[in-house]
Amino acid sequence: MKKIVILISGRGSNMQAIVDAKIPGAEIAAVISNRPDAAGLAWAAERGIKTIALDHKQFASRDEFDAVLAKKIEGMQPDLIILAGYMRILTDVFVARFEGRMLNIHPSLLPSYPGLHTHQRAIDDGLKIAGCTVHFVTAQLDHGPIVAQAAVPVLDDDTEATLAARVLKQEHQIYPAAVRAFVNGELLLADGKVKRVLPLDGAACLRVPG
Ligand code: GAR
């Protein structure tokens, strides 16, 4: 069994997609949130998954918070840490500790549009194609070796909300697919590059819905 720890900050719909995928060989060791009121925590607890709320506001510094978080995670000896809408910048020390076994999803076609308000920025810039990216986590925010991407059209009448919803649907496809590949040992990071031991399902590499 590969042990997985999922970090969230809010709704947790990507976490739900991964849990609901019931990936063979994967065990969710815990869902941790830096916001005690995150809706995703209640969802996980209702399903009997161990949940931990670690309120970042209770800590004097980012370093202190990340040190306690890392200790809690390491206590569970996870094979994989999944950032699923975890909206806190991680310290370099934290990232280094979990290098090669931490994935993130971001709602843009990275390296374009890291950070916040990706959908509005994409609309404002007149993009015709938007999307989402699963990547290994490095010290740089929303950056790192790319595992999977999905593209969606940007429609003329899109708002931030409609585009976000279209992208989110694809997030829920590619993130479980990437996690499944990692759990199967088909995906790893070597010399800073994504290696696929076996070819990833085409759907996980690039999805362009018709
Ligand atoms: C998702 O769209 C995810 O890609 C994004 O936050 C949302 C969380 O939704 N993450 C980032 O912007 C990371 N930089 P969820 O809580 O329903 O999964």
Side-chain angles (χ1 to χ4, degrees):
M1 273 290 173
K2 292 271 168 65
K3 275 197 196 171
I4 296 176
V5 169
I6 306 180
L7 304 189
I8 63 169
S9 295
R11 174 179 60 181
S13 72
N14 277 289
M15 176 251 330
Q16 293 179 24
I18 290 162
V19 170
D20 286 344
K22 295 188 173 43
I23 296 167
E27 175 198 334
I28 310 297
V31 173
I32 305 178
S33 175
N34 63 307
R35 293 189 180 276
D37 59 350
L41 269 190
W43 186 93
E46 276 164 23
R47 278 147 191 87
I49 298 168
K50 177 178 170 170
T51 57
I52 299 171
L54 196 60
D55 187 351
H56 65 269
K57 294 195 197 100
Q58 305 296 322
F59 292 81
S61 69
R62 194 179 291 282
D63 286 344
E64 231 176 86
F65 174 77
D66 271 10
V68 172
L69 178 62
K71 210 167 164 202
K72 280 206 185 295
I73 293 172
E74 267 178 355
M76 292 181 264
Q77 298 189 307
D79 299 282
L80 177 63
I81 295 111
I82 295 175
L83 308 184
Y86 183 69
M87 304 306 273
R88 264 188 79 74
I89 292 171
L90 299 165
T91 56
D92 291 1
V93 176
F94 184 95
V95 171
R97 212 152 159 176
F98 300 112
E99 197 195 353
R101 51 183 175 130
M102 185 153 58
L103 294 174
N104 181 42
I105 190 154
H106 183 73
S108 77
L109 293 171
L110 292 174
S112 295
Y113 302 101
L116 298 173
H117 310 300
T118 51
H119 304 300
Q120 191 57 55
R121 284 154 66 205
I123 291 169
D124 292 348
D125 286 347
L127 289 200
K128 298 296 174 210
I129 294 170
C132 52
T133 304
V134 175
H135 64 96
F136 280 100
V137 176
T138 59
Q140 202 178 334
L141 177 73
D142 296 328
H143 204 271
I146 291 172
V147 171
Q149 289 186 311
V152 300
V154 182
L155 305 180
D156 288 347
D157 58 354
D158 261 334
T159 62
E160 189 174 12
T162 57
L163 180 56
R166 191 175 310 116
V167 171
L168 192 65
K169 237 172 131 180
Q170 296 306 312
E171 294 185 40
H172 296 165
Q173 299 295 318
I174 65 168
Y175 215 0
V179 173
R180 187 185 296 266
F182 186 94
V183 167
N184 288 345
E186 297 166 5
L187 175 68
L188 53 97
L189 191 67
D191 301 328
K193 288 205 158 53
V194 171
K195 301 275 179 214
R196 299 199 170 101
V197 176
L198 292 172
L200 256 183
D201 177 346
C205 297
L206 175 66
R207 292 175 57 88
V208 185

